[in-house]
Amino acid sequence: MAHPAQLGLQDATSPVMEELITFHDHALMAMSLISLLVLYALFSTLTTKLTNTNITDAQEMEIIWTILPAIILTLIAFPSLRILYLTDEVNNPSFTIKSIGHQWYWTYEYTDHGGLIFNSYMLPPLFLNPGDLRLLEVDNRVVLPIEAPVRMMITSQDVLHSWTIPTLGLKTDAVPGRLNQTVFTATRPGVYYGQCSEICGANHSFMPIVAELIPLKIFEMGPVFTL
């Protein structure tokens, strides 16, 4: 869960999110070094009164400042492509849950548990309990197991939506007439919040997502939904 004045990303709850945070730090370090180098060059150019005639027409330097950025881009591109393929990889999921976006709520179908279906609406402020988060709490949470690969089948019944939980590293578009899928493995229990991340109309900001992650043994006894 994000908190005020937070500068970094949320703590990872899945291996994919851990990879995303590592790549973010890797890319940020490269950008910081490049920025410092450019600022130093600009500062030196503006403050010095000396001119070195040997570098006004130096092909070696032109080769270096052409090849060096290409090498840096390659060092950033390969980890990025690796994570991109990891997010699309589907390996024998243990459970399948379908999420359908509506204006402006979510419907969940537990296809592996007798076709259980329920809707998830945002709780109005008058129904919030002490400690509940405004605009983020729902009446029915989606309950998911940890330490087991879960496949989310995501679609929409009206307009574009996006099923997003940042701490799990999940963001999958819900497109009418199309069934998208994403697979994740949660590593620790807890309650995690997300929101629709695709502008879908007047009440776009009022269709939150709340995932309650519980141990696999408890989940296998039957989904437990909290109000």
Side-chain angles (χ1 to χ4, degrees):
M1 181 65 195
H3 56 80
Q6 178 175 339
L7 297 179
L9 301 174
Q10 297 183 27
D11 293 337
T13 315
S14 68
V16 171
M17 189 58 188
E18 293 176 359
E19 294 286 343
L20 288 172
I21 293 176
T22 302
F23 173 71
H24 169 268
D25 297 340
H26 168 74
L28 191 62
M29 180 60 68
M31 292 171 56
S32 300
L33 294 176
I34 293 171
S35 299
L36 289 174
L37 180 60
V38 173
L39 289 174
Y40 172 75
L42 289 174
F43 180 78
S44 299
T45 303
L46 294 174
T47 56
T48 184
K49 295 181 179 180
L50 301 176
T51 301
N52 190 340
T53 57
N54 293 327
I55 65 174
T56 56
D57 186 18
Q59 293 184 356
E60 294 82 3
M61 181 171 291
E62 292 179 0
I63 294 174
I64 291 174
W65 70 41
T66 300
I67 294 178
L68 187 60
I71 295 175
I72 295 175
L73 288 176
T74 302
L75 294 176
I76 294 176
F78 279 114
S80 175
L81 291 173
R82 174 177 172 271
I83 296 174
L84 184 62
Y85 281 101
L86 281 176
T87 57
D88 288 336
E89 189 173 358
V90 179
N91 288 326
N92 299 323
S94 301
F95 304 96
T96 299
I97 300 173
K98 186 177 180 181
S99 176
I100 304 173
H102 307 268
Q103 288 181 313
W104 287 271
Y105 63 96
W106 296 96
T107 297
Y108 296 101
E109 298 182 10
Y110 283 71
T111 58
D112 297 330
H113 291 80
L116 178 63
I117 302 175
F118 64 93
N119 297 326
S120 180
Y121 291 87
M122 184 193 76
L123 281 180
L126 294 177
F127 292 88
L128 293 177
N129 296 319
D132 288 344
L133 299 173
R134 179 177 174 270
L135 302 182
L136 286 178
E137 197 58 67
V138 298
D139 55 356
N140 293 312
R141 298 171 177 173
V142 55
V143 180
L144 303 170
I146 65 172
E147 298 179 346
V150 178
R151 175 171 59 185
M152 294 295 302
M153 310 292 288
I154 300 168
T155 186
S156 173
Q157 202 171 37
D158 37 47
V159 299
L160 289 176
H161 300 281
S162 185
W163 202 82
T164 304
I165 300 181
T167 189
L168 291 172
L170 297 177
K171 183 183 184 300
T172 304
D173 288 343
V175 183
R178 180 186 177 95
L179 193 63
N180 294 327
Q181 68 175 354
T182 183
V183 176
F184 67 93
T185 302
T187 55
R188 53 195 174 96
V191 179
Y192 303 99
Y193 297 86
Q195 288 179 304
C196 175
S197 299
E198 191 74 39
I199 297 177
C200 56
N203 292 331
H204 156 68
S205 58
F206 304 116
M207 50 182 307
I209 303 163
V210 183
E212 183 173 347
L213 304 180
I214 61 177
L216 180 60
K217 293 182 179 180
I218 299 177
F219 182 85
E220 289 178 339
M221 298 178 184
V224 179
F225 305 102
T226 58
L227 298 177

